[in-house]
Each structure stands twice: as structure tokens, then as C-alpha cells.
Amino acid sequence: MFKLTSKIALVTGAGSGIGRAIAQTLAQAGAHVWVVDRDVAAGASTVTLIRDAQGHADFAALDVSNDADTLALATHLPALDILVNNAGIGHVGNLLTTTAVDLDRLHAVNVRGPFNLCKAFVPAMLTRGVGSVINLASIGGVVAVRDRLAYTVTKHAVTGLTRSLALDHSHTGVRFNAICPGRVETPFVQSRIAEYPDPEKAYRDMASTQLNGRMARPDEIAAAALYLASDEAFMVTGSCLMIDGGWSAGK
Ligand code: NAD
């Protein structure tokens, strides 16, 4: 089950955290993975990890917030079977502490990034009638997260983008799904924790939003991406898969 032999995948933000784990997992399942990141050293080290494990990977440098570069990338790469829009950035703030510039910055990476990657690579998928697009949304794409106004706004847009793409294009055979993690132990979360006056308390508080009392590991998110990428998920499109330890179940 869940074999990706001879499939070609692209994972954005694959130089770190969840994206790196997804790239490694897809490669382990047999895919040739294009590791995409704006951080050249981080992306290159993911490629090395994959190749050291006998997998197949190449690196492409890209800032997903750059419209022209994103669209141009598709002219240099082969047609994709799997597109994982994972690159994303966070921001701490409510209405009083979030500026329009903050909102635009998050929107450029978290929303226009996936939108442009889809503009660049999905038309070929639609023509071939084959493809799985996986967008990394968040718990913040389904419910509001306190003091994360810009992040919540942009991640709600990611779930909206996913459902809209699924509605318009699933009849072609291409599938569009979102993954909505709760808190995952990655550099992204570690940097947020470090901003608090008492990081140890912040860590405990963040873990406690999961009903099972701990954060997810990146490989637990990658396992879901592998399933959604695989032919076994043929019937799954337009879904927003919660991997949040029950956070969104209610309180
Ligand atoms: P991370 O910060 O560990 O890694 C993000 C990677 O994306 C980095 O390698 C970074 O260089 C790259 N990146 C950032 N902006 C980019 C850009 N403009 N263009 C290209 N690459 C860029 O993050 P993570 O925790 O692994 O998060 C990955 C995704 O999962 C994000 O979309 C995030 O919103 C989402 N998410 C994370 C959590 C969590 O708890 N970690 C929870 C829910 C959702």
C-alpha cells in the first residue's frame, strides 16, 4: 500500500519541519521529490538526507511569494503527480497588534504561494487527468487560534482554496486536499515558543490544546500526506484532514 513508484512530487518549504518529513516520506515510498525552499542550504540538506537513504531528490530554490519565479519554475520541471504546498509562515498578534503589512506578508506566502504553485503545475495535471494536490492548512484554517489573527485569516483561505479547487476540478481525476495539523514540534513552533517570556510554560500550554496532551511529530503529518498522495486515496478530494489531537472537537 501507499507506493509512489515512478511518481514525481514537489514539496515547498521542504528544507525544514513538516515539509522535510513529507519530502523524505514521499521519497521513501518511491517518488522522485523536488525539494523546494527559499533557504538553499536547508533545501540542499533535505536532498542529501533523501539521497543518503537511496531516495531520489533534486532541489529548486524558490520564494513562493514571488509570482513570476513560481510560474517560471514549471517551465523547468517535469509534469508533477503530487504537489505539496507546505511552505508557510506564522505571526503572533490580534487586531490591535497586527498591521496591514503583517497581513500582506502572511498572505503572500501562505495564500498567494499555493495559489501560484497551483497556477503553475495544476493545468498539466488537469490535461493528464492525474494528480494529487495537498495544501498544508492548519487548525487555524478551521477554527480561530487565539492571538493569531493574520495566521488564522490566511489558513482559512487555504482551506477555502482547497475546497474551491476540488469543486471546480475533481471531475478531471485530479484531487485536492488540505491537512490541518494542530501543534507540531518543528522549528516553526520552537521559534514561536521562544518569543514567550516563559518558554517552558508556553510549551506546556501549547501541548495542552491537543486533547491527548502532546504535540504531533512531523512524521505523523507526513504519513497523512503519503496517504493523500497515494492512489489508495482516489475517493478523497475536497477534504480538510484534522491531525490535531482532537483540538477542534470542542471544549
Ligand atoms: P518550518 O518553519 O519548520 O519550515 C518552513 C519551511 O518553509 C522552511 O524551510 C522555510 O525556509 C520555508 N519557507 C518559508 N517561507 C518560504 C517561502 N516564501 N518560499 C519558500 N520556502 C519558504 O515550518 P513547519 O512548522 O514545518 O510548517 C510547515 C507548514 O505547516 C506551514 O504551512 C505551517 O503553517 C503549517 N503548520 C504548522 C504547524 C506546526 O505546529 N508546526 C501547525 C499547523 C500548520
Side-chain angles (χ1 to χ4, degrees):
M1 283 180 107
F2 309 150
K3 291 283 175 231
L4 302 179
T5 314
S6 79
K7 306 253 190 206
I8 298 179
L10 184 156
V11 184
T12 68
S16 172
I18 295 168
R20 172 174 283 175
I22 292 174
Q24 289 179 292
T25 300
L26 300 188
Q28 202 173 19
H32 184 120
V33 179
W34 281 88
V35 169
V36 170
D37 208 291
R38 68 179 172 188
D39 184 331
V40 174
S45 87
T46 298
V47 169
T48 300
L49 287 169
I50 291 172
R51 289 182 180 168
D52 285 352
Q54 318 307 323
H56 301 288
D58 284 296
F59 175 67
L62 176 73
D63 182 334
V64 301
S65 69
N66 185 312
D67 300 354
D69 287 357
T70 302
L71 295 173
L73 184 66
T75 63
H76 305 301
L77 265 53
L80 302 180
D81 301 291
I82 300 154
L83 168 62
V84 183
N85 284 310
N86 165 80
I89 55 174
H91 178 258
V92 178
N94 60 23
L95 180 67
L96 305 180
T97 55
T98 301
T99 67
V101 172
D102 296 327
L103 185 61
D104 284 349
R105 188 171 55 84
L106 261 72
H107 189 271
V109 178
N110 295 356
V111 184
R112 219 170 62 228
F115 172 80
N116 278 328
L117 263 297
C118 288
K119 292 283 280 182
F121 289 100
V122 168
M125 290 182 172
L126 300 179
T127 303
R128 294 168 60 226
V130 175
S132 172
V133 177
I134 301 164
N135 295 325
L136 261 291
S138 165
I139 176 81
V142 177
V143 299
V145 179
R146 191 176 301 280
D147 276 330
R148 301 289 189 283
L149 181 142
Y151 187 73
T152 297
V153 168
T154 57
K155 290 299 185 178
H156 271 66
V158 174
T159 52
L161 173 71
T162 306
R163 291 184 175 118
S164 189
L165 289 166
L167 191 61
D168 291 343
H169 300 296
S170 292
H171 66 278
T172 62
V174 181
R175 299 181 293 104
F176 303 87
N177 293 289
I179 295 176
C180 300
R183 291 212 162 93
V184 188
E185 286 195 62
T186 66
F188 177 84
V189 165
Q190 296 300 344
S191 69
R192 293 285 85 81
I193 288 171
E195 290 170 12
Y196 284 83
D198 183 347
E200 281 183 21
K201 180 177 179 311
Y203 186 95
R204 283 195 306 276
D205 289 348
M206 286 189 184
S208 74
T209 55
Q210 276 73 219
L211 302 183
N212 55 17
R214 74 160 171 86
M215 296 190 195
R217 300 186 311 267
D219 64 281
E220 291 172 316
I221 311 304
L226 171 59
Y227 167 63
L228 292 172
S230 74
D231 292 341
E232 279 80 3
F234 179 77
M235 288 304 292
V236 186
T237 192
S239 75
C240 297
L241 177 58
M242 306 308 301
I243 309 183
D244 64 348
W247 182 348
S248 58
K251 69 182 212 167

